[in-house]
mmCIF file of all heavy atoms in Angstrom:
data_model
loop_
_atom_site.group_PDB
_atom_site.id
_atom_site.type_symbol
_atom_site.label_atom_id
_atom_site.label_comp_id
_atom_site.label_asym_id
_atom_site.label_seq_id
_atom_site.Cartn_x
_atom_site.Cartn_y
_atom_site.Cartn_z
ATOM 1 N N GLN A 1 0.843 -1.201 0.000
ATOM 2 C CA GLN A 1 0.000 0.000 0.000
ATOM 3 C C GLN A 1 0.878 1.252 0.000
ATOM 4 O O GLN A 1 1.877 1.321 0.712
ATOM 5 C CB GLN A 1 -0.931 0.020 1.219
ATOM 6 C CG GLN A 1 -1.976 1.115 1.136
ATOM 7 C CD GLN A 1 -3.122 0.911 2.121
ATOM 8 O OE1 GLN A 1 -3.227 -0.136 2.774
ATOM 9 N NE2 GLN A 1 -3.977 1.905 2.244
ATOM 10 N N VAL A 2 0.508 2.216 -0.855
ATOM 11 C CA VAL A 2 1.281 3.461 -0.953
ATOM 12 C C VAL A 2 0.332 4.656 -0.832
ATOM 13 O O VAL A 2 -0.867 4.543 -1.068
ATOM 14 C CB VAL A 2 2.057 3.540 -2.299
ATOM 15 C CG1 VAL A 2 3.139 2.483 -2.365
ATOM 16 C CG2 VAL A 2 1.117 3.419 -3.497
ATOM 17 N N GLU A 3 0.893 5.801 -0.447
ATOM 18 C CA GLU A 3 0.100 7.031 -0.330
ATOM 19 C C GLU A 3 -0.165 7.643 -1.703
ATOM 20 O O GLU A 3 -1.228 8.206 -1.933
ATOM 21 C CB GLU A 3 0.852 8.052 0.547
ATOM 22 C CG GLU A 3 0.942 7.661 2.013
ATOM 23 C CD GLU A 3 -0.418 7.704 2.712
ATOM 24 O OE1 GLU A 3 -1.183 8.652 2.454
ATOM 25 O OE2 GLU A 3 -0.711 6.772 3.480
ATOM 26 N N GLU A 4 0.819 7.539 -2.613
ATOM 27 C CA GLU A 4 0.625 8.096 -3.945
ATOM 28 C C GLU A 4 1.461 7.343 -4.973
ATOM 29 O O GLU A 4 2.412 6.642 -4.630
ATOM 30 C CB GLU A 4 0.957 9.591 -3.978
ATOM 31 C CG GLU A 4 2.425 9.923 -3.791
ATOM 32 C CD GLU A 4 2.716 11.398 -4.071
ATOM 33 O OE1 GLU A 4 1.893 12.254 -3.711
ATOM 34 O OE2 GLU A 4 3.786 11.672 -4.658
ATOM 35 N N ALA A 5 1.069 7.463 -6.238
ATOM 36 C CA ALA A 5 1.802 6.847 -7.347
ATOM 37 C C ALA A 5 1.768 7.806 -8.529
ATOM 38 O O ALA A 5 0.826 8.586 -8.672
ATOM 39 C CB ALA A 5 1.162 5.515 -7.723
ATOM 40 N N LYS A 6 2.811 7.751 -9.355
ATOM 41 C CA LYS A 6 2.964 8.731 -10.441
ATOM 42 C C LYS A 6 2.811 8.092 -11.818
ATOM 43 O O LYS A 6 2.768 6.867 -11.947
ATOM 44 C CB LYS A 6 4.345 9.394 -10.340
ATOM 45 C CG LYS A 6 4.512 10.303 -9.134
ATOM 46 C CD LYS A 6 5.840 11.050 -9.219
ATOM 47 C CE LYS A 6 5.918 12.194 -8.224
ATOM 48 N NZ LYS A 6 5.863 11.768 -6.845
ATOM 49 N N ALA A 7 2.756 8.960 -12.843
ATOM 50 C CA ALA A 7 2.632 8.512 -14.233
ATOM 51 C C ALA A 7 3.687 7.451 -14.543
ATOM 52 O O ALA A 7 4.855 7.610 -14.213
ATOM 53 C CB ALA A 7 2.790 9.711 -15.169
ATOM 54 N N GLY A 8 3.254 6.360 -15.159
ATOM 55 C CA GLY A 8 4.158 5.249 -15.493
ATOM 56 C C GLY A 8 3.995 4.056 -14.577
ATOM 57 O O GLY A 8 4.275 2.922 -14.968
ATOM 58 N N ASP A 9 3.561 4.296 -13.335
ATOM 59 C CA ASP A 9 3.400 3.199 -12.372
ATOM 60 C C ASP A 9 2.203 2.318 -12.737
ATOM 61 O O ASP A 9 1.165 2.820 -13.176
ATOM 62 C CB ASP A 9 3.180 3.755 -10.956
ATOM 63 C CG ASP A 9 4.459 4.253 -10.313
ATOM 64 O OD1 ASP A 9 5.515 3.650 -10.554
ATOM 65 O OD2 ASP A 9 4.401 5.258 -9.574
ATOM 66 N N ILE A 10 2.353 1.006 -12.530
ATOM 67 C CA ILE A 10 1.210 0.093 -12.604
ATOM 68 C C ILE A 10 0.658 -0.040 -11.197
ATOM 69 O O ILE A 10 1.388 -0.392 -10.270
ATOM 70 C CB ILE A 10 1.624 -1.281 -13.173
ATOM 71 C CG1 ILE A 10 2.037 -1.128 -14.644
ATOM 72 C CG2 ILE A 10 0.491 -2.283 -13.054
ATOM 73 C CD1 ILE A 10 2.517 -2.408 -15.301
ATOM 74 N N VAL A 11 -0.616 0.299 -11.034
ATOM 75 C CA VAL A 11 -1.207 0.358 -9.693
ATOM 76 C C VAL A 11 -2.469 -0.493 -9.609
ATOM 77 O O VAL A 11 -3.082 -0.843 -10.612
ATOM 78 C CB VAL A 11 -1.566 1.816 -9.299
ATOM 79 C CG1 VAL A 11 -0.328 2.641 -9.056
ATOM 80 C CG2 VAL A 11 -2.449 2.473 -10.355
ATOM 81 N N CYS A 12 -2.820 -0.799 -8.374
ATOM 82 C CA CYS A 12 -4.063 -1.491 -8.062
ATOM 83 C C CYS A 12 -4.771 -0.588 -7.050
ATOM 84 O O CYS A 12 -4.139 -0.134 -6.094
ATOM 85 C CB CYS A 12 -3.702 -2.849 -7.459
ATOM 86 S SG CYS A 12 -5.104 -3.817 -6.947
ATOM 87 N N PHE A 13 -6.040 -0.270 -7.261
ATOM 88 C CA PHE A 13 -6.689 0.684 -6.348
ATOM 89 C C PHE A 13 -8.141 0.299 -6.085
ATOM 90 O O PHE A 13 -8.779 -0.376 -6.896
ATOM 91 C CB PHE A 13 -6.594 2.119 -6.903
ATOM 92 C CG PHE A 13 -7.094 2.293 -8.308
ATOM 93 C CD1 PHE A 13 -8.397 2.698 -8.567
ATOM 94 C CD2 PHE A 13 -6.253 2.060 -9.395
ATOM 95 C CE1 PHE A 13 -8.853 2.867 -9.862
ATOM 96 C CE2 PHE A 13 -6.702 2.224 -10.700
ATOM 97 C CZ PHE A 13 -8.008 2.627 -10.934
ATOM 98 N N SER A 14 -8.650 0.725 -4.942
ATOM 99 C CA SER A 14 -10.027 0.408 -4.548
ATOM 100 C C SER A 14 -10.798 1.696 -4.281
ATOM 101 O O SER A 14 -10.212 2.767 -4.133
ATOM 102 C CB SER A 14 -10.017 -0.469 -3.294
ATOM 103 O OG SER A 14 -9.422 0.229 -2.219
ATOM 104 N N GLY A 15 -12.116 1.558 -4.194
ATOM 105 C CA GLY A 15 -12.966 2.708 -3.890
ATOM 106 C C GLY A 15 -14.020 2.981 -4.949
ATOM 107 O O GLY A 15 -14.953 3.751 -4.727
ATOM 108 N N ILE A 16 -13.889 2.328 -6.135
ATOM 109 C CA ILE A 16 -14.864 2.550 -7.216
ATOM 110 C C ILE A 16 -15.573 1.226 -7.479
ATOM 111 O O ILE A 16 -15.065 0.368 -8.198
ATOM 112 C CB ILE A 16 -14.177 3.054 -8.504
ATOM 113 C CG1 ILE A 16 -13.177 4.177 -8.185
ATOM 114 C CG2 ILE A 16 -15.205 3.531 -9.516
ATOM 115 C CD1 ILE A 16 -12.324 4.595 -9.369
ATOM 116 N N GLU A 17 -16.748 1.052 -6.893
ATOM 117 C CA GLU A 17 -17.450 -0.232 -6.986
ATOM 118 C C GLU A 17 -17.948 -0.531 -8.397
ATOM 119 O O GLU A 17 -18.069 -1.673 -8.789
ATOM 120 C CB GLU A 17 -18.636 -0.271 -6.007
ATOM 121 C CG GLU A 17 -18.254 -0.666 -4.589
ATOM 122 C CD GLU A 17 -17.484 -1.990 -4.520
ATOM 123 O OE1 GLU A 17 -17.983 -2.996 -5.054
ATOM 124 O OE2 GLU A 17 -16.380 -2.016 -3.950
ATOM 125 N N SER A 18 -18.243 0.507 -9.192
ATOM 126 C CA SER A 18 -18.819 0.281 -10.526
ATOM 127 C C SER A 18 -17.760 0.206 -11.628
ATOM 128 O O SER A 18 -18.091 0.116 -12.802
ATOM 129 C CB SER A 18 -19.806 1.397 -10.862
ATOM 130 O OG SER A 18 -19.146 2.660 -10.821
ATOM 131 N N VAL A 19 -16.492 0.233 -11.262
ATOM 132 C CA VAL A 19 -15.425 0.277 -12.274
ATOM 133 C C VAL A 19 -15.360 -1.031 -13.063
ATOM 134 O O VAL A 19 -15.625 -2.109 -12.533
ATOM 135 C CB VAL A 19 -14.057 0.583 -11.611
ATOM 136 C CG1 VAL A 19 -13.577 -0.600 -10.773
ATOM 137 C CG2 VAL A 19 -13.018 0.970 -12.644
ATOM 138 N N ASN A 20 -15.039 -0.910 -14.357
ATOM 139 C CA ASN A 20 -14.947 -2.085 -15.210
ATOM 140 C C ASN A 20 -13.736 -2.006 -16.119
ATOM 141 O O ASN A 20 -13.171 -0.922 -16.316
ATOM 142 C CB ASN A 20 -16.212 -2.228 -16.063
ATOM 143 C CG ASN A 20 -16.956 -3.518 -15.738
ATOM 144 O OD1 ASN A 20 -16.338 -4.557 -15.516
ATOM 145 N ND2 ASN A 20 -18.276 -3.441 -15.690
ATOM 146 N N ILE A 21 -13.382 -3.130 -16.718
ATOM 147 C CA ILE A 21 -12.256 -3.172 -17.646
ATOM 148 C C ILE A 21 -12.560 -2.270 -18.847
ATOM 149 O O ILE A 21 -13.650 -2.308 -19.406
ATOM 150 C CB ILE A 21 -12.001 -4.620 -18.089
ATOM 151 C CG1 ILE A 21 -11.449 -5.427 -16.909
ATOM 152 C CG2 ILE A 21 -11.039 -4.684 -19.260
ATOM 153 C CD1 ILE A 21 -11.549 -6.905 -17.053
ATOM 154 N N GLY A 22 -11.596 -1.445 -19.221
ATOM 155 C CA GLY A 22 -11.782 -0.536 -20.347
ATOM 156 C C GLY A 22 -12.201 0.860 -19.930
ATOM 157 O O GLY A 22 -12.149 1.790 -20.736
ATOM 158 N N ASN A 23 -12.643 1.026 -18.658
ATOM 159 C CA ASN A 23 -12.999 2.360 -18.153
ATOM 160 C C ASN A 23 -11.741 3.199 -17.946
ATOM 161 O O ASN A 23 -10.644 2.657 -17.761
ATOM 162 C CB ASN A 23 -13.729 2.264 -16.812
ATOM 163 C CG ASN A 23 -15.106 1.617 -16.902
ATOM 164 O OD1 ASN A 23 -15.684 1.289 -15.900
ATOM 165 N ND2 ASN A 23 -15.629 1.410 -18.109
ATOM 166 N N THR A 24 -11.907 4.516 -17.975
ATOM 167 C CA THR A 24 -10.810 5.425 -17.637
ATOM 168 C C THR A 24 -11.144 6.115 -16.330
ATOM 169 O O THR A 24 -12.257 6.615 -16.142
ATOM 170 C CB THR A 24 -10.615 6.498 -18.740
ATOM 171 O OG1 THR A 24 -10.382 5.847 -19.985
ATOM 172 C CG2 THR A 24 -9.436 7.403 -18.419
ATOM 173 N N VAL A 25 -10.188 6.103 -15.404
ATOM 174 C CA VAL A 25 -10.325 6.841 -14.145
ATOM 175 C C VAL A 25 -9.528 8.132 -14.305
ATOM 176 O O VAL A 25 -8.336 8.086 -14.641
ATOM 177 C CB VAL A 25 -9.793 6.009 -12.961
ATOM 178 C CG1 VAL A 25 -9.810 6.815 -11.670
ATOM 179 C CG2 VAL A 25 -10.614 4.731 -12.795
ATOM 180 N N CYS A 26 -10.185 9.277 -14.112
ATOM 181 C CA CYS A 26 -9.500 10.539 -14.390
ATOM 182 C C CYS A 26 -9.878 11.614 -13.375
ATOM 183 O O CYS A 26 -10.732 11.408 -12.502
ATOM 184 C CB CYS A 26 -9.789 11.012 -15.809
ATOM 185 S SG CYS A 26 -11.511 10.963 -16.261
ATOM 186 N N ALA A 27 -9.248 12.781 -13.506
ATOM 187 C CA ALA A 27 -9.533 13.909 -12.623
ATOM 188 C C ALA A 27 -10.944 14.432 -12.933
ATOM 189 O O ALA A 27 -11.321 14.541 -14.099
ATOM 190 C CB ALA A 27 -8.493 15.004 -12.832
ATOM 191 N N PRO A 28 -11.740 14.780 -11.893
ATOM 192 C CA PRO A 28 -13.125 15.232 -12.115
ATOM 193 C C PRO A 28 -13.218 16.494 -12.976
ATOM 194 O O PRO A 28 -14.212 16.686 -13.673
ATOM 195 C CB PRO A 28 -13.648 15.501 -10.701
ATOM 196 C CG PRO A 28 -12.705 14.812 -9.777
ATOM 197 C CD PRO A 28 -11.385 14.741 -10.474
ATOM 198 N N ASP A 29 -12.195 17.339 -12.949
ATOM 199 C CA ASP A 29 -12.250 18.583 -13.723
ATOM 200 C C ASP A 29 -11.619 18.421 -15.116
ATOM 201 O O ASP A 29 -11.489 19.387 -15.866
ATOM 202 C CB ASP A 29 -11.550 19.722 -12.962
ATOM 203 C CG ASP A 29 -10.123 19.357 -12.579
ATOM 204 O OD1 ASP A 29 -9.736 18.185 -12.803
ATOM 205 O OD2 ASP A 29 -9.400 20.226 -12.059
ATOM 206 N N HIS A 30 -11.238 17.188 -15.458
ATOM 207 C CA HIS A 30 -10.646 16.950 -16.781
ATOM 208 C C HIS A 30 -11.018 15.530 -17.208
ATOM 209 O O HIS A 30 -10.198 14.615 -17.186
ATOM 210 C CB HIS A 30 -9.119 17.117 -16.724
ATOM 211 C CG HIS A 30 -8.468 17.103 -18.072
ATOM 212 N ND1 HIS A 30 -8.319 18.236 -18.835
ATOM 213 C CD2 HIS A 30 -7.940 16.077 -18.797
ATOM 214 C CE1 HIS A 30 -7.715 17.912 -19.979
ATOM 215 N NE2 HIS A 30 -7.476 16.605 -19.972
ATOM 216 N N VAL A 31 -12.286 15.350 -17.585
ATOM 217 C CA VAL A 31 -12.789 14.016 -17.919
ATOM 218 C C VAL A 31 -12.475 13.715 -19.386
ATOM 219 O O VAL A 31 -13.046 14.302 -20.295
ATOM 220 C CB VAL A 31 -14.307 13.920 -17.660
ATOM 221 C CG1 VAL A 31 -14.826 12.542 -18.056
ATOM 222 C CG2 VAL A 31 -14.607 14.202 -16.195
ATOM 223 N N GLU A 32 -11.510 12.808 -19.589
ATOM 224 C CA GLU A 32 -11.106 12.440 -20.950
ATOM 225 C C GLU A 32 -10.781 10.952 -20.985
ATOM 226 O O GLU A 32 -9.847 10.493 -20.323
ATOM 227 C CB GLU A 32 -9.879 13.264 -21.379
ATOM 228 C CG GLU A 32 -9.490 13.035 -22.829
ATOM 229 C CD GLU A 32 -8.221 13.794 -23.213
ATOM 230 O OE1 GLU A 32 -7.869 14.785 -22.537
ATOM 231 O OE2 GLU A 32 -7.583 13.370 -24.186
ATOM 232 N N ALA A 33 -11.580 10.186 -21.751
ATOM 233 C CA ALA A 33 -11.403 8.735 -21.801
ATOM 234 C C ALA A 33 -10.228 8.350 -22.699
ATOM 235 O O ALA A 33 -9.962 9.004 -23.707
ATOM 236 C CB ALA A 33 -12.675 8.072 -22.309
#
């Protein structure tokens, strides 16, 4: 478990119950798939 990860890292994360393969997780003020 880490506090933060940067561009390039392969990460595993929790908190999004509806997430699916192929979805993009992004910043709320910059939604770009």
Side-chain angles (χ1 to χ4, degrees):
Q1 190 164 352
V2 293
E3 291 292 319
E4 68 170 38
K6 291 187 167 63
D9 283 325
I10 293 178
V11 290
C12 178
F13 53 94
S14 62
I16 314 172
E17 276 306 306
S18 59
V19 70
N20 243 321
I21 290 162
N23 293 168
T24 303
V25 175
C26 48
D29 55 354
H30 189 87
V31 178
E32 186 184 338

